[in-house]
Amino acid sequence: MPHTVLLAEDDRAIRNALERALTLEGYHVTAVADGVEALAQAHRGRPDVLVLDVMMPGIDGLQVCRVLRAEGDRTPVLILTALVETADRIAGLDAGADDYVVKPFDVEEVFARLRALLRRAAPAPAGPEPPAAQEAEAPAPAGRVLEAAGLRMDPQARRVWRGDRELELTRTEFELLELLVRHAGVVLEHSTIYDRIWGYDFGPGSKNLAVYVGYLRRKLDEPGAPQLIHTVRGVGYVLREG
């Protein structure tokens, strides 16, 4: 069965071009021109993924995302935005979006990001993993809470605490932090993180990872407490205390 995409974009040329491209790629696409219709369509039949433009008349893409998240809808959301400032991107993540693409975009990048979102949203396969995969991933046994650098994570419940404070994280934020926690003290290269979290390395010009790390820091850091996520310039990131 083809994956279903709900596309909301008020620019007719972009909407039509992206709808054609997604259809040719094998997706079943419902395309609408505003946020009101996007919410209506999302309520009629839950799509596999939503692609939402930020700037739309009436209800914009971020408001659509906020409403769905408030309703408990965890459908993956990819935001299309012409806003390039870090604060604008953070606003999208804060609204509950899982990823974003900056206009003008290459349609292949949209495809790559959608594939990554759909892979992460797919249910885990039944049965045990092969031994090699188990060793590479080093997954926590059932019920085990991961601990590192003053953090506690429950991967199954998707909950995380710093001390007694529980953190509210988006899907991507949680997966990024879990990767860092599982490899605490090890410097993870940019390309490794992109491959493990997004399934695709968007190249040295991409700011996607830096935005997510910055947003995680805002949620993790506390006054007077040591920073947990450290930048190793030109290499990547490492989780450690102090």
Side-chain angles (χ1 to χ4, degrees):
M1 292 290 291
H3 287 295
T4 56
V5 177
L6 174 55
L7 167 64
E9 166 64 67
D10 66 317
D11 185 307
R12 180 181 298 177
I14 295 176
R15 183 174 68 252
N16 291 344
L18 194 50
E19 181 181 11
R20 286 195 299 271
L22 288 168
T23 300
L24 289 172
E25 189 68 7
Y27 294 97
H28 178 76
V29 184
T30 299
V32 298
D34 58 64
V36 173
E37 186 58 26
L39 280 174
Q41 289 290 343
H43 290 151
R44 288 190 193 108
R46 185 169 177 175
D48 294 318
V49 64
L50 291 92
V51 180
L52 304 175
D53 181 37
V54 169
M55 304 297 288
M56 292 187 291
I59 299 178
D60 65 25
L62 300 189
Q63 290 173 299
V64 171
C65 193
R66 290 189 189 99
V67 169
L68 293 176
R69 296 303 186 239
E71 294 173 347
D73 190 325
R74 306 309 302 171
T75 303
V77 173
L78 177 65
I79 291 287
L80 307 178
T81 178
L83 306 174
V84 297
E85 296 298 325
T86 298
D88 298 315
R89 298 172 185 177
I90 287 174
L93 305 180
D94 198 25
D98 296 284
D99 205 350
Y100 67 89
V101 174
V102 176
K103 298 178 181 178
F105 51 78
D106 186 323
V107 71
E108 292 297 330
E109 182 179 358
V110 174
F111 293 160
R113 292 182 186 273
L114 287 178
R115 288 194 296 268
L117 288 177
L118 290 166
R119 279 197 303 272
R120 286 152 49 197
E129 293 181 343
Q134 290 180 347
E135 182 178 354
E137 292 293 332
R144 177 181 171 187
V145 173
L146 304 175
E147 297 189 40
L151 296 175
R152 291 181 298 119
M153 299 190 78
D154 185 337
Q156 289 189 329
R158 301 189 72 83
R159 300 177 68 184
V160 58
W161 299 263
R162 181 171 188 178
D164 295 328
R165 179 171 61 95
E166 184 169 2
L167 309 177
E168 295 293 330
L169 303 181
T170 66
R171 182 202 312 268
T172 301
E173 291 165 1
F174 188 93
E175 291 175 359
L176 175 56
L177 185 58
E178 182 181 357
L179 179 64
L180 292 168
V181 166
R182 287 183 182 275
H183 297 83
V186 177
V187 178
L188 298 178
E189 296 183 354
H190 297 105
S191 59
T192 298
I193 298 174
Y194 272 118
D195 182 65
R196 295 287 293 277
I197 301 301
W198 285 276
Y200 186 86
D201 186 349
F202 297 102
S206 174
K207 302 297 183 183
N208 203 50
L209 178 55
V211 168
Y212 275 97
V213 168
Y215 202 51
L216 261 181
R217 282 172 172 158
R218 287 180 59 191
K219 294 187 175 183
L220 285 172
D221 292 349
E222 299 174 340
Q227 186 180 69
L228 300 185
I229 302 177
H230 299 265
T231 302
V232 180
R233 193 172 299 279
V235 182
Y237 298 96
V238 58
L239 179 82
R240 64 169 181 264
E241 219 170 355

